[in-house]
Amino acid sequence: MAVTLADVAAAAGLSGSTVSRALSAPEKVNATTRERVERIAREMGYVPNHSARSLTAGRTDLIGLMVPDIANPFFPPIIKAVQARGMQHGRTVLIADVDERPADELPRARTMRRQVDGLIIASPRTPDDLMDELLALGPVVFVNRAVPGAASVVIDEAGGMDQAVEHLAALGHRNIAYLNGPKRSWSNTQRRNAVLAASARLGLELVELGPFEAQVQSGVHAADLVIARGITGVIAYDDLIALGVMARLTERGVRTGADISVIGVDDSPMSAMAYPTLTSVHVPGDAAGSQAVDTLLAIIEDRQVEDDEHVVLDSRLIVRSSTGPARTT
């Protein structure tokens, strides 16, 4: 027979409510009592009934995670981190992929919210004028998009992108291109603005191309435009586009790194496996996922946290073989 809370209470000579508080809300009992209850529960092999506790608290112990495209290499580290951190806290994660259809986000979030205690929405594509409707589904935490009045975990795009432009300038590149991501992407706006500012500061000639979808095929298309413009250094919105550029350069007999330097963003596993290996801006998706879970659970459990808490994580450049000195002829 499983050991019950009543069994622990009897062994400790305490009321069931005191034992319950000692195990579920330890800050509400004194340290001596708490330690005694925990020791007796451990010795008796007591296992808390999380399901019953959740029902009593009106919770499901489920959290929802929504991503725009599960196949995009930016999102798997976030997904894995959310699942791992959720498991540490006894939470199960439900995942929804809206397949880059912004109109599906809000209906899907409404459906998911009926099943979960709170939502984590990564890189939401919902237009600004509808964000209040997502907020109304709270508790909700946004990842990779700053939303006024909402808790969010964002990545400092400016730091890594500034390093990328400085890297190309240090290699002698004066004529560079930025390959824009999707129009609806909040991250693209941050990355583009950072590249524009750094290029102006360093006196580089910047050409903008796109917008492009975050796909390898987009990079294949962009590469022909880059070659036609005589550009020597390229910064792509993400690694997928950058890898497409590299593939097309190879097809056309142009050497990546020697003739045209290419930089991606995400530092996905593919960047280190490509040939040549891809210089990329590392964005800490795993840290963002873990922090999002911590913030969401703090809100759900009514701990000391602001509903509009804003956490910023740093990005940085990882230099590999796809960048080299600008060609002189």
Side-chain angles (χ1 to χ4, degrees), residues 121-319:
I121 304 179
S123 299
R125 308 305 200 211
T126 297
D128 289 340
D129 59 349
L130 294 177
M131 288 304 293
D132 284 346
E133 296 189 45
L134 277 180
L135 280 173
L137 300 176
V140 60
V141 174
F142 296 100
V143 176
N144 207 37
R145 180 170 172 180
V147 178
S152 60
V153 181
V154 298
I155 296 164
D156 172 25
E157 307 280 1
M161 301 307 283
D162 192 73
Q163 291 175 24
V165 177
E166 287 183 340
H167 176 61
L168 291 179
L171 292 171
H173 296 274
R174 312 306 301 170
N175 184 10
I176 69 172
Y178 176 65
L179 308 183
N180 281 280
K183 285 183 179 179
R184 59 189 174 273
S185 169
W186 181 84
S187 287
N188 182 67
T189 300
Q190 310 309 305
R191 294 171 188 179
R192 172 184 178 272
N193 289 344
V195 171
L196 284 170
S199 297
R201 175 172 55 83
L202 295 168
L204 305 185
E205 180 181 347
L206 176 68
V207 174
E208 289 189 66
L209 299 173
F212 299 105
E213 290 300 309
Q215 300 170 357
V216 170
Q217 185 58 40
S218 296
V220 173
H221 173 207
D224 291 332
L225 304 178
V226 168
I227 294 170
R229 296 288 192 100
I231 291 162
T232 66
V234 176
I235 301 174
Y237 163 75
D238 72 352
D239 284 353
L240 286 178
I241 296 175
L243 291 168
V245 170
M246 290 170 58
R248 181 60 172 168
L249 293 181
T250 299
E251 287 179 354
R252 294 195 54 181
V254 179
R255 299 169 299 168
T256 299
D259 297 324
I260 296 179
S261 290
V262 180
I263 298 177
V265 180
D266 288 344
D267 190 30
S268 61
M270 292 182 296
S271 62
M273 295 185 290
Y275 182 79
T277 54
L278 175 62
T279 296
S280 185
V281 175
H282 175 78
V283 291
D286 51 353
S290 297
Q291 180 62 55
V293 173
D294 292 344
T295 301
L296 181 63
L297 293 183
I299 296 171
I300 291 171
E301 296 167 4
D302 199 26
R303 288 186 259 132
Q304 293 298 315
V305 62
E306 298 294 330
D307 285 348
D308 60 351
E309 179 173 298
H310 188 65
V311 178
V312 180
L313 304 175
D314 292 332
S315 60
R316 68 184 189 279
L317 184 69
I318 306 296
V319 178

